[in-house]
Amino acid sequence: MPFSDQPTVKSGDVEIPLLGFGTWQLEPEDARRMVAEALRIGYRHIDTAWIYKNEKAVGDGIRDSGVPREDIFLTTKIWVAHFADGDLQRQAEESADSLGFTPDLLLLHWPKTTPSIEDTIASLNDARDKGFTRSIGVSNYPSKEFRRAAEASKAPLVTNQVEYHPYLSLHTLMATANELGSTITAWSPLAQGKIADDATIKEVAEAHGKTPGQVTLRWLVQQGVIAIPRTTKETRARENFDILDFELTGEEMDRLHALATPEGRLGDWIDPEFQWDRD
């Protein structure tokens, strides 16, 4: 799959552009407009989900962009209310129909106790076998559940999409992903805007003539982490994409890592039966 000169990461035979465009909380009109614009800017990875209620708009945006479908990596997600066998496959088919395209990647949105992880993973594999997606993965799975899902899956789990930014350590989960031959995708990569006023990130940004957002996205990409920032502003989407012409030093990378705290998580909707990794 051609992705121009963009950095990518491989999980097995699946190649994924490291910088994507997210559509969480985008109303359909904004999603359609921004997906088309993001693709014109140069993004080649688009992320959505059934629960975002904008899959049709995302598909329309892809068609509006004029970028060939085969040049785009497209991700969507199965919502937790649809994990039962049969329900999951039906939602996978519905999502593909709404998008107007077979997604490249289908994720389980959050871990759930019932149905069991093993049963849900079996249904996800069946959706892949039926042609509703090209590859599969998970989202918001701590290491213990990530391993359990990977062990239960016939097909490789190509990513685990989780919250990640400089205020949150992901050391254990990244090591788990590496051990499983998988990847990490970061949602809320800019910490919902908190990074804009951070003195450390500002100082690093000034040294490179970049913005705090650009430095933070570069920090993620240099770790081999997929980042999916979202915005309703075309100028910001262009700014976020302009991170391929500089590199952070090891010392600068460490300075951003040092910003992590135990209270750094911004979005915690995990089932209380599960526990996040400690670091």
Side-chain angles (χ1 to χ4, degrees), residues 208-240:
H208 291 276
K210 293 291 184 178
T211 67
Q214 289 170 325
V215 162
T216 302
L217 292 171
R218 182 71 205 185
W219 175 77
L220 288 163
V221 165
Q222 280 187 217
Q223 296 176 66
V225 171
I226 301 154
I228 49 169
R230 59 109 172 133
T231 179
T232 59
K233 299 176 180 176
E234 295 174 9
T235 53
R236 184 58 55 81
R238 194 172 295 279
E239 175 189 307
N240 288 343

Side-chain angles (χ1 to χ4, degrees), residues 8-270:
T8 61
V9 64
K10 287 198 80 173
S11 180
D13 333 349
V14 181
E15 185 176 12
I16 307 172
L18 280 165
L19 186 59
F21 185 81
T23 62
W24 178 54
Q25 292 186 325
L26 291 191
E27 293 296 326
E29 183 178 345
D30 285 332
R32 179 173 184 167
R33 172 178 59 84
M34 287 306 305
V35 165
E37 183 60 26
L39 290 168
R40 292 182 190 122
I41 288 167
Y43 290 84
R44 289 297 179 266
H45 178 180
I46 303 296
D47 180 273
T48 184
W50 182 90
I51 199 64
Y52 300 169
K53 303 186 186 306
N54 61 19
E55 287 177 318
K56 182 180 184 303
V58 166
D60 287 339
I62 290 172
R63 285 181 284 274
D64 292 345
S65 74
V67 175
R69 168 65 185 96
E70 60 269 21
D71 293 353
I72 301 165
F73 191 90
L74 178 60
T75 301
T76 193
K77 309 174 194 77
I78 298 287
W79 185 239
V80 295
H82 306 149
F83 278 8
D85 188 44
D87 291 345
L88 189 151
Q89 294 92 326
R90 277 187 288 276
Q91 197 233 280
E93 184 174 19
E94 178 188 332
S95 289
D97 287 345
S98 294
L99 289 162
F101 305 107
T102 300
D104 296 287
L105 178 59
L106 186 64
L107 307 179
L108 300 175
H109 211 142
W110 287 86
K112 190 177 173 185
T113 55
T114 306
S116 70
I117 286 175
E118 289 75 13
D119 287 347
T120 307
I121 286 290
S123 300
L124 184 63
N125 274 270
D126 186 52
R128 177 182 176 272
D129 291 345
K130 285 181 163 60
F132 302 141
T133 182
R134 296 187 175 93
S135 61
I136 58 174
V138 295
S139 183
N140 302 301
Y141 275 51
S143 287
K144 180 180 176 183
E145 286 69 37
F146 192 12
R147 282 198 185 89
R148 186 174 156 190
E151 288 168 3
S153 186
K154 178 179 66 174
L157 302 181
V158 304
T159 203
N160 187 359
Q161 185 179 126
V162 294
E163 179 183 349
Y164 187 38
H165 45 69
Y167 306 116
L168 187 63
S169 173
L170 230 63
H171 177 79
T172 300
L173 193 60
M174 288 182 67
T176 300
N178 186 59
E179 175 190 328
L180 296 174
S182 189
T183 64
I184 294 293
T185 300
W187 59 259
S188 284
L190 303 179
Q192 298 175 21
K194 282 180 64 178
I195 52 92
D197 299 316
D198 189 285
T200 297
I201 300 176
K202 277 183 168 181
E203 186 176 330
V204 174
E206 286 168 7
H208 291 276
K210 293 291 184 178
T211 67
Q214 289 170 325
V215 162
T216 302
L217 292 171
R218 182 71 205 185
W219 175 77
L220 288 163
V221 165
Q222 280 187 217
Q223 296 176 66
V225 171
I226 301 154
I228 49 169
R230 59 109 172 133
T231 179
T232 59
K233 299 176 180 176
E234 295 174 9
T235 53
R236 184 58 55 81
R238 194 172 295 279
E239 175 189 307
N240 288 343
F241 191 73
D242 187 21
I243 64 166
L244 306 180
D245 60 350
F246 75 107
E247 188 169 342
L248 300 177
T249 67
E251 186 265 343
E252 289 169 336
M253 294 288 289
D254 290 343
R255 289 181 69 188
L256 266 68
H257 278 295
L259 298 173
T261 70
E263 297 77 34
R265 192 175 300 280
L266 300 174
D268 192 358
W269 302 285
I270 199 167

